[in-house]
Amino acid sequence: WIQNPVPLGVWVRFPPEVLFIMPLNKKYTELDIVWFKRDLRTLDNKSLEFVSKSGNPTLFVYIFEPSVIDSPDCDHRHIRFINESIIDIEKKLKKFSLDIKCVNCEVIEFFKEISKTYKIKNVLSYQEIGNNLSYSRDKKIAQFFRSKNINWIQSKTNGIIRGLSSRKDWKKKWIEEMKSEVVVTDLDSINKQKVKIPSKIKVYNSKHEFDKNFQPGGESYAWMYIKSFQKSRHIGYTRNISRPNESRISCSRLSPYITYGNLSSKQVYQFFNKSSNNRDIRNFLSRLQWRCHFMQKFDDEPSMEFKNINRAYDSIRLNHDENLLKKWRDGSTGIPIVDACMRCLDQTGYLNFRMRAMIVSFAAFNLWQDWKYFSHHLAKKFLDYEPGIHYSQIQMQSAVTGINTVRIYNPVKNSIDLDPKGEFIKKWVTELKSIPPEYVHEPWKMTKIEQEMYDFFIGKDYPYPIIDIDSSRKKALDEIWKIRKSPKSKINATKILEKHVNK
């Protein structure tokens, strides 16, 4: 006779002596949930490895949170990349009769609702080295899981050590993590029991809108990029890393794939470490470690999203000029290399490191604007926006750390040195297309006769510079060094070095 409820998968005898398997009784089923965050891959994914051995029915889910989508550092380009990554995962899971659900609600709402229907045993995810919004959300979720006796298993992300008390031997520990085993999961061994989303949870209906100007998301594309870089594109990496045009090919272009977890840092490290005798590859790997260093720094001091890491610099850049920043954002500063970078970033989501540093330097020093007024704009535009790197670097390039070299990039010098023929400039600032190379870097120096000759007029066809580069640089340098030499800045700098520098 049937006892009520019958455990899942128990064979019973029922007149007239017919054998059958009882259907899934949702209220009494132990369920595992793989919560995808910034770990959008099937290879080297410890969450998938866990559920392949647990044997429990498993729900794969990505949660599109309205609060995240509406946040000031999120852009449609990020959501599109995530969608493309999920589509790629779906294709892989489908081969094993598995699928991934996409829902549209706040995370706490999702888990509260689904826990009414299922007995959740384990939630698997990766630690998110995110902004304050995601960190606050995770603290609330952790509290909810504890109240429901749900086991939340979070794997380390890119070798970052949460709750790190000291930077002693950090690099050694990071290398050990990078050399540890890469997980390859047998997806066929995952329980294929279908799990339905409760009707009260809103399904996320995404429209795939491919944009050829942006790198496409997904594990498959990530491996195409990593293999092409290893095969040939790495040649000239060291020479071209700072050149705005050449770097688009010679740089790895792997950053968005690491940011959203299409690739883990461990996979990248092990893929290239065998070729580390190659100078270009060796330099690339050093930047991979450098990347994780800044993420660790941010995880140790998340307040740098909102505050100067060295509070001695709170007394400068107090006047906010929205008009200047708008021209900077629009690529209408009258400084060709700056405008080319801003337009390129807007239309492709990518700039190399040197050009990123230069546009931050221009806004922070030449325009003398507080980084907090332009950090979100850049976060939205960078396809590979990684909070840990973003805020660390913006503060460094704005010279408010008190420990790093003060670098004020001369945009004209960088333009002449790194784009001598003006190819990058002319591609993105089409107004300058007919201008000869000797004037493309400083078109305001053209005489009236030359402007007539080329039928090109400063102030009409292209704006005059909104700021004098030399005088604004000198003024900014004087202000920065005044603070840097102060006792408060020096005391704070010592504490920063003690906390964040690898020993």
Side-chain angles (χ1 to χ4, degrees):
W1 295 97
I2 299 176
Q3 296 180 355
N4 188 24
V6 176
L8 173 67
V10 173
W11 289 85
V12 297
R13 187 177 296 273
F14 187 86
E17 295 193 351
V18 177
L19 293 178
F20 64 95
I21 298 180
M22 289 300 296
L24 177 64
N25 187 328
K26 296 179 182 177
K27 291 184 180 179
Y28 297 95
T29 299
E30 286 193 332
L31 177 70
D32 287 348
I33 297 179
V34 173
W35 174 18
F36 283 98
K37 296 165 86 178
R38 288 185 173 229
D39 52 344
L40 295 169
R41 63 181 179 274
T42 57
L43 297 174
D44 195 35
N45 191 315
K46 291 183 179 179
S47 299
L48 300 186
E49 181 67 7
F50 182 94
V51 297
S52 73
K53 296 175 180 178
S54 75
N56 293 327
T58 301
L59 171 65
F60 299 95
V61 66
Y62 188 91
I63 305 170
F64 286 91
E65 306 159 78
S67 58
V68 171
I69 293 173
D70 295 337
S71 63
D73 57 354
C74 184
D75 188 75
H76 180 67
R77 64 192 65 194
H78 303 145
I79 303 303
R80 181 176 57 235
F81 193 93
I82 291 168
N83 270 327
E84 291 168 343
S85 300
I86 292 171
I87 289 170
D88 196 52
I89 290 175
E90 281 181 318
K91 290 178 182 177
K92 291 177 171 61
L93 293 179
K94 191 174 181 180
K95 295 176 183 178
F96 300 93
S97 301
L98 301 168
D99 62 1
I100 179 171
K101 307 291 188 185
C102 294
V103 299
N104 184 16
C105 62
E106 298 302 332
V107 173
I108 190 71
E109 294 173 9
F110 170 79
F111 281 106
K112 281 182 177 179
E113 191 61 38
I114 201 164
S115 63
K116 295 176 184 177
T117 305
Y118 298 98
K119 178 177 172 51
I120 304 171
K121 184 174 184 182
N122 302 298
V123 173
L124 296 304
S125 71
Y126 272 74
Q127 291 175 346
E128 188 169 353
I129 317 302
N131 57 13
N132 182 66
L133 183 63
S134 65
Y135 183 57
S136 300
R137 169 253 283 155
D138 281 355
K139 287 195 292 186
K140 290 179 182 177
I141 287 297
Q143 187 177 10
F144 173 76
F145 287 163
R146 285 193 295 270
S147 71
K148 293 290 185 179
N149 293 317
I150 296 170
N151 187 28
W152 189 12
I153 303 171
Q154 298 186 80
S155 300
K156 282 197 297 187
T157 295
N158 296 325
I160 309 307
I161 304 170
R162 180 143 288 173
L164 189 65
S165 58
S166 169
R167 272 302 189 99
K168 186 178 181 180
D169 296 328
W170 180 84
K171 185 175 181 180
K172 180 182 176 182
K173 293 173 183 175
W174 181 82
I175 291 175
E176 288 174 355
E177 175 69 19
M178 293 303 105
K179 290 183 176 180
S180 64
E181 182 183 7
V182 169
V183 175
V184 180
T185 302
D186 177 14
L187 297 177
D188 201 34
S189 63
I190 296 174
N191 189 316
K192 295 175 174 54
Q193 173 68 55
K194 298 299 180 184
V195 180
K196 291 185 177 180
I197 297 290
S199 58
K200 287 186 178 180
I201 297 175
K202 186 178 178 181
V203 175
Y204 183 81
N205 295 313
S206 62
K207 292 182 179 179
H208 183 43
E209 302 167 352
F210 180 77
D211 190 325
K212 61 182 177 61
N213 291 321
F214 290 82
Q215 288 178 255
E219 197 172 14
S220 298
Y221 280 108
W223 281 101
M224 288 172 60
Y225 271 84
I226 198 173
K227 289 175 182 177
S228 67
F229 183 65
Q230 188 270 342
K231 182 179 180 181
S232 60
R233 287 193 301 108
H234 73 274
I235 299 171
Y237 172 82
T238 305
R239 181 179 65 254
N240 295 327
I241 190 172
S242 295
R243 300 177 183 275
N245 235 9
E246 291 84 342
S247 62
R248 301 183 73 82
I249 299 297
S250 295
C251 282
S252 75
R253 306 297 299 275
L254 295 177
S255 55
Y257 300 110
I258 302 174
T259 290
Y260 290 99
N262 296 159
L263 291 169
S264 66
S265 290
K266 184 192 299 185
Q267 288 174 295
V268 177
Y269 181 90
Q270 293 190 19
F271 187 85
F272 288 108
N273 194 43
K274 57 190 175 185
S275 306
S276 58
N277 289 332
N278 180 293
R279 178 170 173 257
D280 287 322
I281 295 297
R282 189 169 62 249
N283 287 341
F284 164 73
L285 285 176
S286 72
R287 284 167 175 80
L288 182 68
Q289 186 271 327
W290 171 93
R291 182 181 191 278
C292 295
H293 157 76
F294 281 102
M295 291 179 69
Q296 181 70 64
K297 186 175 179 180
F298 184 69
D299 195 64
D300 294 342
E301 192 161 352
S303 63
M304 70 174 68
E305 180 182 352
F306 309 105
K307 301 175 182 177
N308 292 324
I309 190 171
N310 189 325
R311 302 306 298 275
Y313 293 85
D314 289 354
S315 61
I316 62 172
R317 299 187 177 110
L318 300 179
N319 296 322
H320 170 52
D321 192 323
E322 180 57 29
N323 182 52
L324 285 178
L325 282 177
K326 184 180 187 308
K327 291 178 180 178
W328 173 79
R329 290 194 299 264
D330 294 344
S332 302
T333 67
I335 311 294
I337 190 65
V338 173
D339 293 343
C341 286
M342 297 305 290
R343 297 182 195 187
C344 173
L345 178 60
D346 178 59
Q347 295 178 49
T348 72
Y350 174 78
L351 279 179
N352 66 23
F353 176 79
R354 172 64 72 86
M355 295 299 105
R356 296 185 191 208
M358 187 195 68
I359 61 175
V360 170
S361 171
F362 185 82
F365 294 112
N366 298 107
L367 302 185
W368 200 240
Q369 298 297 297
D370 192 306
W371 60 268
K372 292 184 282 294
Y373 289 109
F374 59 79
S375 62
H376 284 158
H377 174 77
L378 292 178
K380 290 169 76 75
K381 296 300 178 181
F382 291 141
L383 181 63
D384 59 359
Y385 164 56
E386 181 71 69
I389 300 169
H390 187 72
Y391 295 104
S392 297
Q393 279 300 305
I394 278 189
Q395 291 212 32
M396 181 188 293
Q397 302 304 334
S398 299
V400 293
T401 66
I403 63 173
N404 302 105
T405 302
V406 178
R407 291 187 175 92
I408 302 182
Y409 293 86
N410 184 320
V412 173
K413 185 180 186 305
N414 274 268
S415 181
I416 293 171
D417 291 347
L418 303 175
D419 188 30
K421 296 180 181 180
E423 294 173 339
F424 178 76
I425 290 173
K426 291 186 176 186
K427 179 176 181 179
W428 298 105
V429 185
T430 54
E431 305 96 299
L432 303 175
K433 215 164 191 176
S434 61
I435 304 304
E438 60 266 29
Y439 291 120
V440 76
H441 308 286
E442 302 172 279
W444 59 88
K445 288 189 174 181
M446 295 174 67
T447 66
K448 289 184 178 180
I449 293 176
E450 288 166 332
Q451 292 182 49
E452 290 279 358
M453 185 187 307
Y454 293 104
D455 191 27
F456 171 85
F457 301 94
I458 296 295
K460 176 185 175 185
D461 299 308
Y462 186 67
Y464 283 103
I466 61 174
I467 203 80
D468 182 84
I469 295 171
D470 295 330
S471 62
S472 60
R473 179 185 185 278
K474 184 181 183 306
K475 184 178 179 181
L477 204 55
D478 290 343
E479 290 291 327
I480 288 293
W481 276 105
K482 190 186 300 181
I483 300 295
R484 186 154 180 140
K485 291 176 182 178
S486 70
K488 184 177 180 180
S489 175
K490 290 179 179 179
I491 292 170
N492 290 346
T494 300
K495 293 177 181 177
I496 293 167
L497 285 169
E498 180 65 27
K499 182 173 182 177
H500 294 295
V501 174
N502 298 331
K503 300 176 180 67

